[in-house]
Protein backbone atom coordinates (compact mmCIF):
# COMPACT_ATOMS: atom_id res chain seq x y z
CA UNK A 1 0.00 0.00 0.00
CA UNK A 2 1.46 3.35 -1.09
CA UNK A 3 2.17 5.97 1.56
CA UNK A 4 -0.44 8.72 1.66
CA UNK A 5 0.86 12.15 0.60
CA UNK A 6 0.73 15.07 3.03
CA UNK A 7 -0.37 18.28 1.30
CA UNK A 8 -0.05 21.87 2.37
CA UNK A 9 -3.42 23.54 1.69
CA UNK A 10 -4.27 27.23 1.31
CA UNK A 11 -7.27 27.89 3.62
CA UNK A 12 -8.09 31.06 1.67
CA UNK A 13 -8.94 28.99 -1.40
CA UNK A 14 -9.12 25.39 -0.17
CA UNK A 15 -6.61 24.39 -2.86
CA UNK A 16 -3.48 22.27 -2.31
CA UNK A 17 -0.22 24.23 -2.40
CA UNK A 18 2.43 21.52 -2.41
CA UNK A 19 3.12 18.02 -1.22
CA UNK A 20 5.22 18.35 1.91
CA UNK A 21 5.74 14.77 3.08
CA UNK A 22 4.08 11.37 3.28
CA UNK A 23 2.24 9.90 6.24
CA UNK A 24 4.46 7.80 8.49
CA UNK A 25 3.90 4.05 8.55
CA UNK A 26 3.92 2.04 11.77
CA UNK A 27 7.51 1.02 11.01
CA UNK A 28 8.54 4.65 10.51
CA UNK A 29 6.90 5.68 13.78
CA UNK A 30 8.81 2.88 15.50
CA UNK A 31 12.09 4.12 14.01
CA UNK A 32 11.29 7.70 15.02
CA UNK A 33 10.55 6.77 18.63
CA UNK A 34 13.61 4.53 18.88
CA UNK A 35 15.80 7.29 17.48
CA UNK A 36 14.46 9.76 20.05
CA UNK A 37 14.86 7.19 22.81
CA UNK A 38 18.47 6.67 21.78
CA UNK A 39 19.14 10.40 22.12
CA UNK A 40 17.78 10.78 25.65
CA UNK A 41 21.08 10.46 27.52
CA UNK A 42 22.53 13.37 25.53
CA UNK A 43 20.02 15.69 27.20
CA UNK A 44 21.25 14.88 30.71
CA UNK A 45 23.55 17.91 30.92
CA UNK A 46 21.45 20.88 32.04
CA UNK A 47 23.93 23.41 30.67
CA UNK A 48 23.73 21.87 27.20
CA UNK A 49 19.92 21.69 27.42
CA UNK A 50 19.66 25.39 28.23
CA UNK A 51 22.05 26.29 25.40
CA UNK A 52 20.00 24.15 23.00
CA UNK A 53 16.75 25.91 23.90
CA UNK A 54 18.37 29.32 23.42
CA UNK A 55 19.89 28.23 20.11
CA UNK A 56 16.48 27.04 18.92
CA UNK A 57 14.97 30.43 19.78
CA UNK A 58 17.79 32.23 17.96
CA UNK A 59 17.42 30.15 14.80
CA UNK A 60 13.64 30.68 14.75
CA UNK A 61 14.17 34.41 15.11
CA UNK A 62 16.77 34.43 12.32
CA UNK A 63 14.36 32.57 10.03
CA UNK A 64 11.33 34.65 11.04
CA UNK A 65 10.45 35.83 7.53
CA UNK A 66 10.37 32.28 6.17
CA UNK A 67 8.54 30.92 9.23
CA UNK A 68 5.85 33.60 9.15
CA UNK A 69 5.42 33.29 5.39
CA UNK A 70 5.00 29.52 5.63
CA UNK A 71 2.58 29.73 8.56
CA UNK A 72 0.44 32.43 6.96
CA UNK A 73 0.18 30.49 3.70
CA UNK A 74 -1.20 27.49 5.61
CA UNK A 75 -3.33 29.16 8.31
CA UNK A 76 -4.40 32.58 6.98
CA UNK A 77 -3.72 33.99 10.45
CA UNK A 78 -1.88 36.97 8.98
CA UNK A 79 1.65 38.33 9.41
CA UNK A 80 0.80 40.58 12.35
CA UNK A 81 -0.71 37.80 14.43
CA UNK A 82 2.02 35.34 13.45
CA UNK A 83 4.81 37.81 14.19
CA UNK A 84 3.48 38.10 17.72
CA UNK A 85 3.07 34.34 18.00
CA UNK A 86 6.65 33.72 16.89
CA UNK A 87 7.93 36.23 19.45
CA UNK A 88 5.91 34.41 22.11
CA UNK A 89 7.31 31.08 20.97
CA UNK A 90 10.95 32.13 21.12
CA UNK A 91 10.41 33.91 24.44
CA UNK A 92 8.94 30.67 25.79
CA UNK A 93 11.99 28.67 24.68
CA UNK A 94 14.29 31.18 26.38
CA UNK A 95 12.13 31.17 29.50
CA UNK A 96 12.50 27.40 29.81
CA UNK A 97 16.25 27.77 29.33
CA UNK A 98 16.19 29.99 32.41
CA UNK A 99 14.12 27.41 34.29
CA UNK A 100 16.70 24.74 33.45
CA UNK A 101 19.59 26.94 34.51
CA UNK A 102 17.99 28.01 37.80
CA UNK A 103 17.22 24.42 38.74
CA UNK A 104 14.37 24.66 41.23
CA UNK A 105 12.24 22.47 38.92
CA UNK A 106 14.32 19.53 40.20
CA UNK A 107 12.53 20.00 43.55
CA UNK A 108 15.52 18.75 45.55
CA UNK A 109 14.69 17.78 49.14
CA UNK A 110 17.22 16.39 51.60
CA UNK A 111 16.42 14.82 54.97
CA UNK A 112 19.50 14.08 57.04
CA UNK A 113 19.45 11.00 59.30
CA UNK A 114 17.81 11.35 62.68
CA UNK A 115 17.89 8.18 64.84
CA UNK A 116 15.90 9.94 67.56
CA UNK A 117 12.92 10.71 65.31
CA UNK A 118 9.74 8.65 65.63
CA UNK A 119 10.10 6.49 63.66
CA UNK A 120 13.88 6.84 63.14
CA UNK A 121 14.79 8.54 59.86
CA UNK A 122 17.49 7.46 57.43
CA UNK A 123 19.39 9.76 55.07
CA UNK A 124 16.95 10.49 52.18
CA UNK A 125 17.54 12.64 49.11
CA UNK A 126 14.79 13.34 46.61
CA UNK A 127 14.77 14.98 43.19
CA UNK A 128 12.98 14.67 39.87
CA UNK A 129 14.16 12.89 36.74
CA UNK A 130 12.86 12.97 33.13
CA UNK A 131 10.25 10.40 32.12
CA UNK A 132 11.64 9.59 28.67
CA UNK A 133 10.34 10.12 25.15
CA UNK A 134 7.37 12.51 25.01
CA UNK A 135 4.81 12.41 22.19
CA UNK A 136 3.63 15.91 21.29
CA UNK A 137 0.42 16.42 19.28
CA UNK A 138 0.49 19.83 17.64
CA UNK A 139 -2.46 22.23 17.71
CA UNK A 140 -4.23 23.63 14.67
CA UNK A 141 -4.85 27.17 15.90
CA UNK A 142 -1.30 28.04 17.01
CA UNK A 143 1.11 26.79 14.32
CA UNK A 144 4.08 27.96 16.39
CA UNK A 145 3.30 28.50 20.08
CA UNK A 146 1.36 25.23 20.51
CA UNK A 147 2.92 23.26 17.70
CA UNK A 148 6.36 21.87 16.80
CA UNK A 149 8.43 24.53 18.65
CA UNK A 150 5.65 25.25 21.19
CA UNK A 151 5.12 24.84 24.89
CA UNK A 152 4.84 21.04 25.07
CA UNK A 153 8.05 20.59 23.08
CA UNK A 154 9.93 23.33 24.95
CA UNK A 155 8.93 22.08 28.40
CA UNK A 156 9.66 18.44 27.55
CA UNK A 157 13.11 19.27 26.21
CA UNK A 158 13.73 21.44 29.27
CA UNK A 159 12.88 18.45 31.47
CA UNK A 160 15.44 16.37 29.57
CA UNK A 161 12.94 14.42 27.47
CA UNK A 162 13.38 13.95 23.70
CA UNK A 163 10.20 14.54 21.72
CA UNK A 164 8.44 13.00 18.75
CA UNK A 165 5.98 15.52 17.35
CA UNK A 166 2.91 14.51 15.39
CA UNK A 167 2.46 17.41 12.99
CA UNK A 168 -0.97 18.96 12.58
CA UNK A 169 -2.31 18.44 9.04
CA UNK A 170 -3.29 22.11 8.76
CA UNK A 171 0.31 23.34 8.66
CA UNK A 172 2.67 20.54 7.59
CA UNK A 173 5.14 22.80 5.75
CA UNK A 174 5.47 25.08 8.77
CA UNK A 175 5.98 22.00 10.93
CA UNK A 176 8.75 20.69 8.69
CA UNK A 177 10.49 24.06 8.69
CA UNK A 178 10.31 24.47 12.46
CA UNK A 179 11.43 20.88 13.10
CA UNK A 180 14.44 21.40 10.85
CA UNK A 181 15.39 24.52 12.83
CA UNK A 182 15.11 22.69 16.14
CA UNK A 183 17.23 19.84 14.82
CA UNK A 184 19.85 22.31 13.55
CA UNK A 185 19.92 23.92 16.99
CA UNK A 186 20.51 20.51 18.57
CA UNK A 187 23.42 19.78 16.24
CA UNK A 188 24.86 23.25 16.89
CA UNK A 189 25.09 22.43 20.60
CA UNK A 190 26.53 18.98 20.04
CA UNK A 191 23.30 17.05 20.61
CA UNK A 192 21.86 14.34 18.35
CA UNK A 193 19.32 15.83 15.96
CA UNK A 194 16.92 13.09 17.00
CA UNK A 195 16.15 14.79 20.30
CA UNK A 196 13.36 16.21 18.08
CA UNK A 197 11.66 14.00 15.48
CA UNK A 198 8.62 14.83 13.34
CA UNK A 199 5.99 12.45 11.94
CA UNK A 200 2.83 13.04 9.91
CA UNK A 201 -0.50 11.25 9.66
CA UNK A 202 -3.55 10.27 11.69
CA UNK A 203 -2.52 6.63 11.99
CA UNK A 204 0.96 7.74 13.00
CA UNK A 205 -0.56 9.64 15.90
CA UNK A 206 -2.34 6.52 17.13
CA UNK A 207 0.79 4.40 16.75
CA UNK A 208 2.77 7.01 18.63
CA UNK A 209 0.66 6.98 21.79
CA UNK A 210 0.76 3.18 21.84
CA UNK A 211 4.52 2.82 21.38
CA UNK A 212 6.10 1.13 24.40
CA UNK A 213 9.04 3.57 24.49
CA UNK A 214 6.81 6.64 24.64
CA UNK A 215 6.65 7.69 28.29
CA UNK A 216 4.10 10.56 28.19
CA UNK A 217 2.05 12.63 25.77
CA UNK A 218 0.91 16.21 25.36
CA UNK A 219 -2.08 17.11 23.19
CA UNK A 220 -3.97 20.24 22.17
CA UNK A 221 -7.10 19.78 20.09
CA UNK A 222 -10.68 18.57 20.09
CA UNK A 223 -12.55 16.72 22.82
CA UNK A 224 -13.22 13.80 20.48
CA UNK A 225 -9.64 13.39 19.27
CA UNK A 226 -8.08 14.04 22.64
CA UNK A 227 -10.35 11.65 24.47
CA UNK A 228 -9.59 8.87 21.97
CA UNK A 229 -5.86 9.30 22.51
CA UNK A 230 -6.32 9.61 26.28
CA UNK A 231 -8.21 6.30 26.32
CA UNK A 232 -5.49 4.69 24.18
CA UNK A 233 -2.81 5.93 26.59
CA UNK A 234 -4.72 4.48 29.54
CA UNK A 235 -5.38 1.16 27.78
CA UNK A 236 -1.71 0.40 27.09
CA UNK A 237 -0.11 -2.55 28.92
CA UNK A 238 1.88 0.16 30.70
CA UNK A 239 -0.37 3.26 30.90
CA UNK A 240 1.30 6.65 30.48
CA UNK A 241 0.42 10.20 31.54
CA UNK A 242 -1.63 11.98 28.86
CA UNK A 243 -1.81 15.74 29.27
CA UNK A 244 -4.55 16.84 26.91
CA UNK A 245 -6.18 20.22 26.36
CA UNK A 246 -9.51 19.38 24.77
CA UNK A 247 -12.03 22.21 24.78
CA UNK A 248 -13.42 25.10 26.78
CA UNK A 249 -16.49 27.34 26.85
CA UNK A 250 -14.75 29.99 29.02
CA UNK A 251 -17.85 31.45 30.74
CA UNK A 252 -18.22 35.12 31.62
CA UNK A 253 -20.51 36.51 34.33
CA UNK A 254 -21.44 40.19 34.29
CA UNK A 255 -22.97 41.44 37.52
CA UNK A 256 -25.87 43.93 37.45
CA UNK A 257 -23.62 46.54 39.06
CA UNK A 258 -20.95 46.08 36.37
CA UNK A 259 -23.56 46.37 33.63
CA UNK A 260 -24.77 49.62 35.19
CA UNK A 261 -21.26 50.98 35.60
CA UNK A 262 -19.69 50.33 32.15
CA UNK A 263 -21.97 48.42 29.72
CA UNK A 264 -20.40 49.86 26.56
CA UNK A 265 -16.86 49.10 27.70
CA UNK A 266 -17.71 45.50 28.56
CA UNK A 267 -19.62 44.97 25.32
CA UNK A 268 -16.78 46.32 23.18
CA UNK A 269 -14.19 44.30 25.11
CA UNK A 270 -16.15 41.09 24.65
CA UNK A 271 -16.55 41.74 20.92
CA UNK A 272 -12.79 42.12 20.54
CA UNK A 273 -12.01 39.03 22.60
CA UNK A 274 -14.50 36.63 21.01
CA UNK A 275 -13.60 37.56 17.42
CA UNK A 276 -9.82 37.59 17.95
CA UNK A 277 -8.18 35.25 15.47
CA UNK A 278 -11.60 34.46 13.96
CA UNK A 279 -12.71 33.12 17.34
CA UNK A 280 -10.17 30.29 17.12
CA UNK A 281 -8.54 30.79 20.51
CA UNK A 282 -8.92 28.02 23.09
CA UNK A 283 -9.68 30.80 25.58
CA UNK A 284 -12.40 32.52 23.53
CA UNK A 285 -15.26 33.66 25.80
CA UNK A 286 -18.03 31.55 24.30
CA UNK A 287 -20.76 31.93 26.91
CA UNK A 288 -21.86 35.02 28.83
CA UNK A 289 -24.35 35.52 31.64
CA UNK A 290 -25.65 39.09 31.46
CA UNK A 291 -28.49 40.69 33.42
CA UNK A 292 -31.85 41.52 31.93
CA UNK A 293 -32.95 45.11 32.00
CA UNK A 294 -31.81 48.42 30.54
CA UNK A 295 -28.14 48.12 31.54
CA UNK A 296 -27.93 44.62 30.09
CA UNK A 297 -29.57 45.89 26.91
CA UNK A 298 -26.87 48.58 26.59
CA UNK A 299 -24.17 45.94 27.02
CA UNK A 300 -25.76 43.75 24.33
CA UNK A 301 -26.09 46.73 21.99
CA UNK A 302 -22.38 47.52 22.37
CA UNK A 303 -21.48 43.87 21.80
CA UNK A 304 -23.74 43.77 18.74
CA UNK A 305 -22.14 46.91 17.30
CA UNK A 306 -18.63 45.61 17.85
CA UNK A 307 -19.30 42.21 16.29
CA UNK A 308 -21.20 43.77 13.36
CA UNK A 309 -18.09 45.76 12.44
CA UNK A 310 -15.98 42.59 12.20
CA UNK A 311 -15.02 41.62 8.65
CA UNK A 312 -15.63 38.05 7.42
CA UNK A 313 -12.66 35.86 8.25
CA UNK A 314 -10.92 32.77 6.93
CA UNK A 315 -10.78 29.89 9.38
CA UNK A 316 -7.89 27.45 9.67
CA UNK A 317 -9.38 24.99 7.22
CA UNK A 318 -12.61 24.34 5.35
CA UNK A 319 -13.57 21.47 7.64
CA UNK A 320 -13.60 23.86 10.60
CA UNK A 321 -15.45 26.45 8.54
CA UNK A 322 -18.17 23.96 7.65
CA UNK A 323 -18.42 22.77 11.26
CA UNK A 324 -18.83 26.38 12.42
CA UNK A 325 -21.54 27.14 9.85
CA UNK A 326 -23.43 23.99 10.78
CA UNK A 327 -22.93 24.52 14.51
CA UNK A 328 -24.24 28.08 14.64
CA UNK A 329 -27.20 27.16 12.45
CA UNK A 330 -28.16 24.36 14.86
CA UNK A 331 -27.85 26.64 17.84
CA UNK A 332 -29.73 29.49 16.20
CA UNK A 333 -32.63 27.17 15.36
CA UNK A 334 -33.26 26.26 19.00
CA UNK A 335 -36.50 27.49 20.53
CA UNK A 336 -36.17 30.94 22.05
CA UNK A 337 -32.73 31.71 20.63
CA UNK A 338 -32.35 35.19 19.13
CA UNK A 339 -29.60 36.39 16.78
CA UNK A 340 -28.60 40.03 17.43
CA UNK A 341 -25.85 39.37 14.87
CA UNK A 342 -26.34 36.29 12.69
CA UNK A 343 -23.21 34.12 12.51
CA UNK A 344 -22.53 31.82 9.59
CA UNK A 345 -20.98 31.73 6.14
CA UNK A 346 -19.41 35.00 5.09
CA UNK A 347 -18.56 33.74 1.63
CA UNK A 348 -17.30 30.61 -0.09
CA UNK A 349 -14.19 30.50 2.07
CA UNK A 350 -15.04 32.76 5.03
CA UNK A 351 -17.30 33.03 8.07
CA UNK A 352 -19.13 35.93 9.64
CA UNK A 353 -19.01 36.54 13.39
CA UNK A 354 -22.22 36.55 15.36
CA UNK A 355 -24.02 36.68 18.69
CA UNK A 356 -26.74 34.34 19.93
CA UNK A 357 -29.00 35.42 22.80
CA UNK A 358 -31.33 33.41 25.01
CA UNK A 359 -33.14 33.76 28.32
CA UNK A 360 -31.21 31.98 31.04
CA UNK A 361 -34.23 30.04 32.27
CA UNK A 362 -34.36 28.25 28.90
CA UNK A 363 -31.01 26.61 29.69
CA UNK A 364 -32.16 25.09 32.97
CA UNK A 365 -35.29 23.66 31.35
CA UNK A 366 -33.39 21.22 29.10
CA UNK A 367 -33.16 20.91 25.34
CA UNK A 368 -30.56 23.66 24.94
CA UNK A 369 -27.39 21.70 25.80
CA UNK A 370 -25.74 22.81 22.53
CA UNK A 371 -25.52 26.35 23.88
CA UNK A 372 -23.35 25.03 26.72
CA UNK A 373 -20.86 23.36 24.36
CA UNK A 374 -17.90 25.03 22.68
CA UNK A 375 -18.49 26.20 19.11
CA UNK A 376 -15.08 26.78 17.57
CA UNK A 377 -15.14 30.08 15.73
CA UNK A 378 -16.35 33.69 16.10
CA UNK A 379 -19.59 33.31 18.06
CA UNK A 380 -20.66 33.78 21.65
CA UNK A 381 -23.89 32.99 23.49
CA UNK A 382 -25.39 35.61 25.78
CA UNK A 383 -27.79 34.22 28.38
CA UNK A 384 -29.92 36.93 30.03
CA UNK A 385 -30.68 36.29 33.70
CA UNK A 386 -33.18 37.95 36.02
CA UNK A 387 -31.97 36.67 39.40
CA UNK A 388 -28.90 35.53 41.28
CA UNK A 389 -30.51 32.10 41.58
CA UNK A 390 -30.63 31.78 37.77
CA UNK A 391 -26.88 32.48 37.58
CA UNK A 392 -26.16 29.75 40.11
CA UNK A 393 -28.44 27.30 38.31
CA UNK A 394 -26.76 27.89 34.94
CA UNK A 395 -23.23 27.73 36.36
CA UNK A 396 -24.16 24.38 37.83
CA UNK A 397 -24.70 23.04 34.30
CA UNK A 398 -21.31 24.04 32.93
CA UNK A 399 -18.44 21.61 32.29
CA UNK A 400 -14.83 22.30 33.28
CA UNK A 401 -13.07 25.20 31.58
CA UNK A 402 -9.67 26.73 31.00
CA UNK A 403 -10.91 30.12 32.18
CA UNK A 404 -13.84 31.82 33.89
CA UNK A 405 -14.30 35.59 33.92
CA UNK A 406 -16.19 37.85 36.30
CA UNK A 407 -17.01 41.48 35.56
CA UNK A 408 -17.84 43.50 38.66
CA UNK A 409 -18.28 47.11 39.69
CA UNK A 410 -15.96 48.97 42.05
CA UNK A 411 -18.44 48.45 44.87
CA UNK A 412 -20.12 45.12 44.22
CA UNK A 413 -21.65 42.89 46.89
CA UNK A 414 -22.00 40.01 44.41
CA UNK A 415 -18.26 39.81 43.72
CA UNK A 416 -17.08 37.50 46.51
CA UNK A 417 -19.81 34.84 46.27
CA UNK A 418 -19.63 34.74 42.45
CA UNK A 419 -15.85 34.43 42.47
CA UNK A 420 -16.24 31.46 44.80
CA UNK A 421 -18.76 29.86 42.42
CA UNK A 422 -16.53 30.34 39.37
CA UNK A 423 -13.33 29.04 40.95
CA UNK A 424 -14.28 25.31 40.79
CA UNK A 425 -15.09 25.67 37.09
CA UNK A 426 -11.72 26.78 35.71
CA UNK A 427 -7.96 26.80 36.03
CA UNK A 428 -7.64 30.57 35.54
CA UNK A 429 -10.19 33.00 36.97
CA UNK A 430 -10.18 36.60 35.73
CA UNK A 431 -11.79 39.69 37.19
CA UNK A 432 -12.56 42.65 34.88
CA UNK A 433 -10.45 41.31 32.02
CA UNK A 434 -10.66 38.99 29.01
CA UNK A 435 -9.20 35.49 28.79
CA UNK A 436 -7.72 35.59 25.26
CA UNK A 437 -3.98 35.93 25.65
CA UNK A 438 -2.08 33.48 27.86
CA UNK A 439 1.08 35.00 29.31
CA UNK A 440 4.17 32.82 29.70
CA UNK A 441 4.80 33.38 33.39
CA UNK A 442 5.73 31.52 36.54
CA UNK A 443 2.23 31.93 38.00
CA UNK A 444 0.36 31.01 34.80
CA UNK A 445 -2.03 28.09 34.78
CA UNK A 446 -3.40 26.96 31.43
CA UNK A 447 -5.55 23.99 32.29
CA UNK A 448 -8.75 23.19 34.11
CA UNK A 449 -11.29 20.55 35.07
CA UNK A 450 -12.27 18.02 32.39
CA UNK A 451 -12.95 18.45 29.50
CA UNK A 452 -10.73 21.52 29.49
CA UNK A 453 -7.80 19.24 30.28
CA UNK A 454 -7.25 15.59 31.18
CA UNK A 455 -4.92 16.35 34.08
CA UNK A 456 -4.45 19.00 36.74
CA UNK A 457 -1.26 20.39 35.17
CA UNK A 458 -0.63 23.47 33.03
CA UNK A 459 0.65 23.56 29.46
CA UNK A 460 1.87 27.17 29.76
CA UNK A 461 4.26 28.70 32.26
CA UNK A 462 7.27 27.48 34.18
CA UNK A 463 5.45 24.65 35.97
CA UNK A 464 4.54 23.01 32.62
CA UNK A 465 7.90 21.24 32.95
CA UNK A 466 6.53 19.20 35.87
CA UNK A 467 4.44 17.07 33.48
CA UNK A 468 7.52 15.33 32.13
CA UNK A 469 9.28 14.52 35.42
CA UNK A 470 8.91 11.95 38.18
CA UNK A 471 10.34 11.99 41.71
CA UNK A 472 13.01 9.55 42.92
CA UNK A 473 14.39 9.25 46.46
CA UNK A 474 17.83 7.84 47.25
CA UNK A 475 18.04 6.41 50.76
CA UNK A 476 21.30 5.68 52.67
CA UNK A 477 23.20 6.00 49.39
CA UNK A 478 26.98 6.54 49.55
CA UNK A 479 28.09 10.01 48.56
CA UNK A 480 30.07 8.92 45.51
CA UNK A 481 27.03 7.12 44.07
CA UNK A 482 24.70 10.10 44.40
CA UNK A 483 24.00 12.43 41.47
CA UNK A 484 26.04 15.65 41.89
CA UNK A 485 22.78 17.54 42.44
CA UNK A 486 22.20 15.62 45.69
CA UNK A 487 25.69 15.52 47.18
CA UNK A 488 26.76 17.20 50.40
CA UNK A 489 27.92 20.76 50.11
CA UNK A 490 25.63 21.48 47.14
CA UNK A 491 28.49 21.55 44.61
CA UNK A 492 26.23 22.80 41.79
CA UNK A 493 24.66 25.60 43.85
CA UNK A 494 21.08 24.46 43.24
CA UNK A 495 17.99 25.46 45.22
CA UNK A 496 17.45 22.71 47.79
CA UNK A 497 15.14 22.16 50.74
Amino acid sequence: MAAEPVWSVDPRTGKPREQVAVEATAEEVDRAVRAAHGARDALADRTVRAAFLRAAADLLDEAREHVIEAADAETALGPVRLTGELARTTAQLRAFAEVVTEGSFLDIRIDLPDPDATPPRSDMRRWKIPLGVVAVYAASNFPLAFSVPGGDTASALAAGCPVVVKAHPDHPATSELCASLLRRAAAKEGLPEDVVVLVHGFDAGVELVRHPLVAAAGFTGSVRGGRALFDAAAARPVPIPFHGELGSLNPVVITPAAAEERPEEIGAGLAGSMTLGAGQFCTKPGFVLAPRGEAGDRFLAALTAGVSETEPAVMLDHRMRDAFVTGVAERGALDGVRTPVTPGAGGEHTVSAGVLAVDADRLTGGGHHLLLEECFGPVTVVARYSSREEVTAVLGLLPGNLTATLHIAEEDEAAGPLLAELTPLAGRVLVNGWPTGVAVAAAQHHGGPYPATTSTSTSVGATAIERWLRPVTYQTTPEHLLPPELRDGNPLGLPRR
Side-chain angles (χ1 to χ4, degrees):
M1 183 177 178
E4 290 294 324
V6 175
W7 290 89
S8 173
V9 176
D10 182 350
R12 294 178 173 94
T13 64
K15 295 180 179 179
R17 297 175 57 247
E18 59 177 335
Q19 182 179 338
V20 172
V22 294
E23 294 187 356
T25 63
E27 292 77 14
E28 288 166 337
V29 171
D30 179 63
R31 285 199 295 271
V33 174
R34 291 186 183 280
H37 182 72
R40 69 195 186 286
D41 289 343
L43 288 169
D45 188 316
R46 289 188 303 111
T47 302
V48 174
R49 290 211 303 270
F52 165 39
L53 292 168
R54 293 188 180 99
D58 291 344
L59 288 178
L60 284 163
D61 279 339
E62 290 170 13
R64 68 168 58 86
E65 290 185 13
H66 297 297
V67 172
I68 291 167
E69 181 182 12
D72 182 50
E74 294 186 305
T75 67
L77 290 173
V80 174
R81 150 71 193 274
L82 290 166
T83 297
E85 186 179 335
L86 179 58
R88 182 191 192 283
T89 303
T90 56
Q92 184 166 242
L93 286 162
R94 294 186 178 101
F96 276 113
E98 292 299 317
V99 169
V100 173
T101 300
E102 188 267 343
S104 62
F105 75 97
L106 296 169
D107 195 22
I108 298 172
R109 298 164 183 259
I110 296 177
D111 281 316
L112 298 176
D114 185 354
D116 296 327
T118 305
R121 186 175 69 226
S122 302
D123 183 289
M124 292 187 293
R125 303 179 183 227
R126 181 185 191 269
W127 71 328
K128 291 184 177 178
I129 65 172
L131 290 173
V133 177
V134 170
V136 171
Y137 294 82
S140 63
N141 55 341
F142 284 87
L144 306 173
F146 285 82
S147 189
V148 174
D152 284 350
T153 297
S155 58
L157 293 170
C161 298
V163 298
V164 179
V165 183
K166 206 288 284 184
H168 196 281
D170 278 356
H171 42 81
T174 307
S175 299
E176 286 284 345
L177 175 57
C178 290
S180 71
L181 292 169
L182 293 183
R183 288 169 65 86
R184 276 178 52 198
K188 180 175 180 293
E189 298 304 324
L191 291 168
E193 290 187 349
D194 288 336
V195 294
V196 177
V197 187
L198 184 70
V199 297
H200 297 267
F202 176 85
D203 290 341
V206 177
E207 291 291 335
L208 189 56
V209 80
R210 292 175 176 166
H211 196 286
L213 293 180
V214 168
F219 171 91
T220 303
S222 68
V223 173
R224 182 180 177 183
R227 183 54 194 258
L229 290 170
F230 174 82
D231 290 346
R236 291 168 37 131
V238 179
I240 59 171
F242 183 89
H243 301 285
E245 180 193 319
L246 311 188
S248 186
L249 196 59
N250 304 303
V252 178
V253 177
I254 303 167
T255 68
E260 289 283 354
E261 186 177 85
R262 55 184 201 288
E264 288 80 13
E265 176 187 328
I266 296 173
L270 175 59
S273 183
M274 58 150 288
T275 59
L276 187 65
Q280 297 172 116
F281 277 48
C282 51
T283 52
K284 179 202 75 175
F287 180 79
V288 185
L289 280 160
R292 292 179 181 170
E294 189 268 338
D297 291 344
R298 288 168 58 198
F299 151 75
L300 187 57
L303 171 62
T304 298
V307 174
S308 297
E309 293 170 1
T310 304
E311 294 293 325
V314 176
M315 293 190 71
L316 293 162
D317 63 36
H318 280 59
R319 176 183 57 81
M320 293 183 190
R321 175 195 174 275
D322 294 345
F324 174 79
V325 172
T326 300
V328 294
E330 290 174 347
R331 288 162 173 79
L334 293 172
D335 189 35
V337 173
R338 304 176 293 279
T339 53
V341 187
T342 303
E348 185 180 358
H349 306 293
T350 60
V351 297
S352 293
V355 178
L356 305 177
V358 68
D359 293 335
D361 57 7
R362 292 265 186 182
L363 301 173
T364 56
H368 288 68
H369 62 90
L370 268 180
L371 300 178
L372 303 178
E373 296 178 8
E374 179 185 19
C375 185
F376 194 69
V379 66
T380 197
V381 174
V382 178
R384 305 291 299 273
Y385 67 87
S386 57
S387 69
R388 179 72 173 72
E389 290 73 23
E390 278 188 351
V391 173
T392 297
V394 173
L395 291 179
L397 300 174
L398 298 185
N401 292 271
L402 294 169
T403 73
T405 300
L406 178 62
H407 277 270
I408 60 174
E410 187 171 344
E411 300 290 335
D412 202 327
E413 294 180 356
L418 279 171
L419 193 67
E421 284 191 48
L422 289 174
T423 297
L425 292 177
R428 180 162 58 106
V429 182
L430 301 89
V431 177
N432 293 347
W434 297 107
T436 38
V438 185
V440 179
Q444 184 59 268
H445 188 83
H446 190 61
Y450 185 86
T453 49
T454 58
S455 69
T456 58
S457 62
T458 179
S459 61
V460 180
T463 54
I465 195 173
E466 295 174 358
R467 297 174 295 169
W468 321 120
L469 299 162
R470 70 175 181 89
V472 174
T473 294
Y474 292 96
Q475 185 168 333
T476 60
T477 303
E479 174 87 359
H480 70 280
L481 293 178
L482 287 169
E485 291 85 352
L486 301 182
R487 291 177 186 171
D488 289 340
N490 197 4
L492 301 182
L494 292 166
R496 311 204 300 188
R497 179 179 182 275

